[in-house]
Amino acid sequence: MFRIAEKRKAKILMAIFLSFVALSFKVNAQQQESYKLAPDDVISVSVFGEPDLSLKEARVSSSGTIALSLIGQLTVKGKTISEAEQLIKNKYLDGYLKKPDVTVTIVEYRQFYVNGEVNKPGGYSFREGMTIQRAITLAGGFTERASRSTVKLIKEDNSEISLEVGMNEKVGPGDVITVEESFF
């Protein structure tokens, strides 16, 4: 009887765990679908069955392009992953391959920046789930003069400038965090 209750409890816990894992994959997939490529992102381009046309790592240039075999420079800045895949596929369909199967993945996101009253201001590699608190921790924490209540977040596209953001506010690639000085 005791073993049956333990097994049932284990099955319930496993089901709850798998539900959370599935939900996190769905959230990450949705974030990836809306993510726009920009300079300094590092991507890989895989053309199935064509290793010579694939790229293990390609950094998006400051002009927003990558260089691919046969088709040359291609502008991917401002495109989602699926849009970039379709663009590359269409270019290879135009006289080079009959049925190209193209996959684009993000190898490394562009940096976000932390400045102001932190111990190590600078650029830091973005990771999924990055928050203001984690970013400030990466930057060595607050200085003695830092205002813990006045933190500014400027989104990369300048669409949102927030004063006094919460420590759990999400940070994206290319965003700038400024920790203001406290006057008291």
Side-chain angles (χ1 to χ4, degrees):
M1 189 80 156
F2 183 68
R3 281 188 170 162
I4 294 172
E6 277 186 23
K7 286 182 180 180
R8 195 174 285 158
K9 187 177 181 181
K11 285 181 182 180
I12 290 170
L13 288 174
M14 183 58 82
I16 291 170
F17 173 74
L18 291 175
S19 297
F20 281 124
V21 169
L23 181 62
S24 72
F25 282 133
K26 185 176 179 181
V27 169
N28 283 340
Q30 288 171 346
Q31 288 171 345
Q32 288 258 334
E33 285 177 23
S34 64
Y35 182 77
K36 303 271 187 187
L37 294 170
D40 288 332
D41 282 330
V42 178
I43 61 173
S44 77
V45 178
S46 174
V47 182
F48 182 73
E50 301 289 342
D52 292 341
L53 302 180
S54 299
L55 296 172
K56 186 176 179 183
E57 289 187 1
R59 184 171 300 276
V60 179
S61 72
S62 60
S63 60
T65 63
I66 58 170
L68 292 166
S69 297
L70 301 178
I71 55 178
Q73 295 291 320
L74 203 57
T75 301
V76 295
K77 178 182 176 182
K79 301 204 179 312
T80 64
I81 298 298
S82 59
E83 290 170 342
E85 288 172 344
Q86 191 61 48
L87 176 66
I88 296 167
K89 181 179 178 179
N90 289 342
K91 292 290 185 181
Y92 280 127
L93 276 171
D94 191 20
Y96 299 107
L97 300 173
K98 290 184 180 186
K99 292 183 181 179
D101 184 5
V102 177
T103 303
V104 174
T105 54
I106 298 172
V107 175
E108 181 183 310
Y109 292 95
R110 59 193 173 274
Q111 293 185 330
F112 66 91
Y113 303 90
V114 184
N115 63 43
E117 294 299 320
V118 291
N119 289 308
K120 294 186 237 166
Y124 293 91
S125 296
F126 174 80
R127 293 182 187 95
E128 291 289 337
M130 185 60 64
T131 62
I132 297 285
Q133 180 68 49
R134 290 179 179 168
I136 290 171
T137 301
L138 281 174
F142 293 109
T143 64
E144 289 179 15
R145 295 182 293 168
S147 170
R148 287 165 169 70
S149 62
T150 309
V151 177
K152 206 185 313 183
L153 173 64
I154 302 173
K155 293 299 213 177
E156 180 181 46
D157 59 4
N158 291 323
S159 65
E160 197 176 318
I161 300 174
S162 305
L163 291 174
E164 299 180 21
V165 292
M167 290 293 123
N168 291 324
E169 184 77 27
K170 296 287 184 189
V171 175
D175 290 357
V176 178
I177 301 163
T178 303
V179 178
E180 299 292 330
E181 185 177 355
S182 176
F183 293 107
F184 299 102

